[in-house]
Amino acid sequence: MAAIFTKEAVEMTGSKGADMFEIKEVIALDNPVDLSPLEVFALPVSGGGFVAQVGLLSELYMAKWVANGRRLQGSKSYQPDLVLGSSGGNVAAYIAMAGDWCPEGMLRMAAKMETKMFIQSWFPDFMSFIPTWLIGATKGSIYREGYGAKDLFKNIFSCESIQKTEVWIGAYDLNYRRAQFFCNLQQARSMISADYINESTYFYGTLPVRYLDGDPERIAKACMASASIPLLVSKQSLDGNGYADGGIMYASPLTVFRDEVYRLVMGNNPYHERLEREARAGGSTATSFTVDPRSQTAEVKEVPGITHAGSKGLRALHLIYFCSYEMDVAKGVRPEHRQSTPNVAETLQQLLDASVLQDRAAAVDLLHRCCGDEAGSIVFTHHPHLNHIKLAEILTELNQQRHYVIILYPHGNPTVRLQNFKAFDIQEQVANTRAAYGGYIWYFPTMKGSKGDSRPAASSITGSSRLSREVPAPWSLQCRDSNGRDSHSRAVGSVERVT
């Protein structure tokens, strides 16, 4: 049994535990209720920085392996439930899924990639000595579209295997000038409700979502379309429509999908919403909604003398955000440019930064919403130097908490030039990322105080501090690790998985 109002919460208010509950009614649920944590990966726009995201994904996998006693029990222990990515982020997501989310598999898949998958010169190979921009100036892009990932996807994915993890990617529809989101699954298999998302198309400037039904060829085209950087490469076509890079409107689908993710965390159950309203209206009596995952029934219980504290959801939110560069380092300006007008490249980079900042802020906002009235108890920590051993320790602690958001970032800006990269370049930048990265963490602690004490238990996550809603702690650049020093180490190893 898993209750929204836990036994610990009841004891802290003065009651003597579950015996004080009075069962009001038992409801048979129409749909199965999944009470496991909802693990969401967000991979925002990154361009050639997709290699950094692959490196961070590799480190997360190794951290989970260590945290689970250097064994992984089935795919649920290492793969996410939901992936939201755009542009280079969506490329990293499909590399990870093709490699079964493990470092060796991801590098093996990345080695199959080359520049011509994304872009090609307007001139044939025997005329490659002629600058491609000579024709590109009349075509609207420096390069024409590459040969794509169709053959690669058809070779490594089946219709079933490509639907193992739910992946949503963003693109930009050039005909309607709106954002378009694609899902790799059949609609019936998706946890995301098209009806809920499509209700908000007017507010977010999006088109109705599209499901690609596990078709590797169409998914490959959508993947390339999402990573088609404007001006650099020409539009990509899918089902007769022209698309460009998903980062044009949104850094990732998270900004648009956060209401839907919130719905998934809260349980997506109309009875739960009704009980919440009744509990709030009741004042001194709190109503508990308890779900039995085996019988798929719900008991409505009444606890005398306990004021309602606000629901924290049926499922725990575990959201991990993978930045492709270190956003919070102040970027110096060369003296000769201080008084001049920013050039086009600088302006575009600032627009990209702003988009990613808003997107990752949506992640933290989602955590606040999931915590409801108790969002003031959210704890913030910054770990500027991580390795997978330290990250494993943090995950072990976080998995004892209710909700959390982790934002991982590499030091510097690991990237490859899309105009000319090889497998070695990818391997090198992935290794650089794994050797030097950090993370911001927000979490809602499990209530473990003494009787009558509603404060969260002290965290064993080094360097933690309480975060009020007014303090923009993640954007403070003065954070240091717990010892006030800079240190990190390389740590890689073989992995034993138990299936």
Side-chain angles (χ1 to χ4, degrees), residues 15-17 20 81-82 102 155 171 223 232 270 303 347 387 403 463:
S15 299
K16 296 182 179 180
M20 296 296 294
D81 299 300
L82 179 66
C102 74
N155 287 334
C223 177
L232 181 65
V303 188
T347 300
N387 55 55
H403 303 298

Side-chain angles (χ1 to χ4, degrees), residues 129-359:
F129 61 90
I130 303 177
T132 183
W133 59 263
L134 291 177
I135 292 182
T138 65
K139 297 286 189 177
S141 63
I142 299 174
Y143 297 90
R144 63 186 173 96
E145 63 181 295
Y147 63 75
K150 178 180 66 175
D151 292 337
L152 179 61
F153 273 46
K154 289 171 68 175
N155 287 334
I156 63 178
F157 288 119
S158 66
C159 182
E160 189 62 31
S161 67
I162 204 168
Q163 298 186 76
K164 193 174 182 180
T165 301
E166 183 165 350
V167 180
W168 284 88
I169 63 176
Y172 179 72
D173 189 299
L174 293 168
N175 299 322
Y176 291 97
R177 300 293 193 267
R178 285 174 172 257
Q180 175 72 74
F181 297 109
F182 296 97
C183 180
N184 61 323
L185 305 186
Q186 299 168 343
Q187 183 170 355
R189 300 177 65 168
S190 171
M191 69 179 79
I192 297 294
S193 169
D195 293 336
Y196 280 90
I197 293 293
N198 292 339
E199 284 179 358
S200 61
T201 56
Y202 173 79
F203 298 101
Y204 288 107
T206 64
L207 294 171
V209 297
R210 296 184 60 185
Y211 296 87
L212 300 178
D213 303 327
D215 184 339
E217 183 173 340
R218 296 176 69 216
I219 294 171
K221 289 183 178 180
C223 177
M224 291 294 103
S226 179
S228 297
I229 301 174
L231 302 180
L232 181 65
V233 62
S234 57
K235 68 179 182 180
Q236 303 279 333
S237 296
L238 174 60
D239 299 336
N241 294 328
Y243 295 98
D245 196 287
I248 291 176
M249 286 194 68
Y250 295 104
S252 85
L254 177 61
T255 298
V256 178
F257 280 52
R258 60 180 158 179
D259 289 343
E260 182 67 356
V261 174
Y262 174 76
R263 181 184 67 83
L264 294 173
V265 171
M266 299 308 292
N268 187 26
N269 194 294
Y271 294 110
H272 174 254
E273 296 173 2
R274 174 172 64 81
L275 293 169
E276 286 292 301
R277 289 194 297 270
E278 290 179 357
R280 289 180 183 277
S284 62
T285 300
T287 304
S288 171
F289 186 70
T290 306
V291 178
D292 185 339
R294 291 166 295 184
S295 64
Q296 288 299 315
T297 60
E299 293 181 354
V300 184
K301 300 180 179 181
E302 201 168 79
V303 188
I306 300 178
T307 57
H308 180 75
S311 171
K312 295 178 283 296
L314 287 176
R315 303 182 69 177
L317 174 67
H318 295 176
L319 194 159
I320 306 178
Y321 195 93
F322 299 85
C323 287
S324 64
Y325 61 101
E326 193 169 6
M327 298 183 62
D328 298 311
V329 173
K331 299 177 178 65
V333 180
R334 287 178 291 181
E336 62 270 25
H337 290 168
R338 285 177 180 164
Q339 302 301 322
S340 63
T341 302
N343 60 37
V344 174
E346 290 174 343
T347 300
L348 291 176
Q349 183 61 51
Q350 290 300 322
L351 290 173
L352 176 64
D353 288 349
S355 179
V356 178
L357 282 168
Q358 293 177 42
D359 195 57

Side-chain angles (χ1 to χ4, degrees), residues 77-136:
S77 63
Y78 61 87
Q79 72 180 28
D81 299 300
L82 179 66
V83 178
L84 307 171
S86 284
S87 189
N90 109 92
V91 173
Y94 278 110
I95 289 174
M97 188 162 69
D100 201 22
W101 303 95
C102 74
E104 296 85 356
M106 285 187 268
L107 282 179
R108 187 169 60 250
M109 291 300 108
K112 299 178 183 294
M113 300 176 63
E114 63 174 352
T115 292
K116 288 186 177 180
M117 287 180 62
F118 298 93
I119 58 176
Q120 297 185 93
S121 172
W122 288 103
F123 293 99
D125 288 344
F126 71 89
M127 299 177 65
S128 60
F129 61 90
I130 303 177
T132 183
W133 59 263
L134 291 177
I135 292 182

Side-chain angles (χ1 to χ4, degrees), residues 392-401 443 457-461:
E393 296 172 359
I394 292 172
L395 288 176
T396 299
E397 169 67 24
L398 288 177
N399 287 333
Q400 300 175 31
Q401 312 306 324
Y443 67 93
S459 171
S460 64
I461 302 175

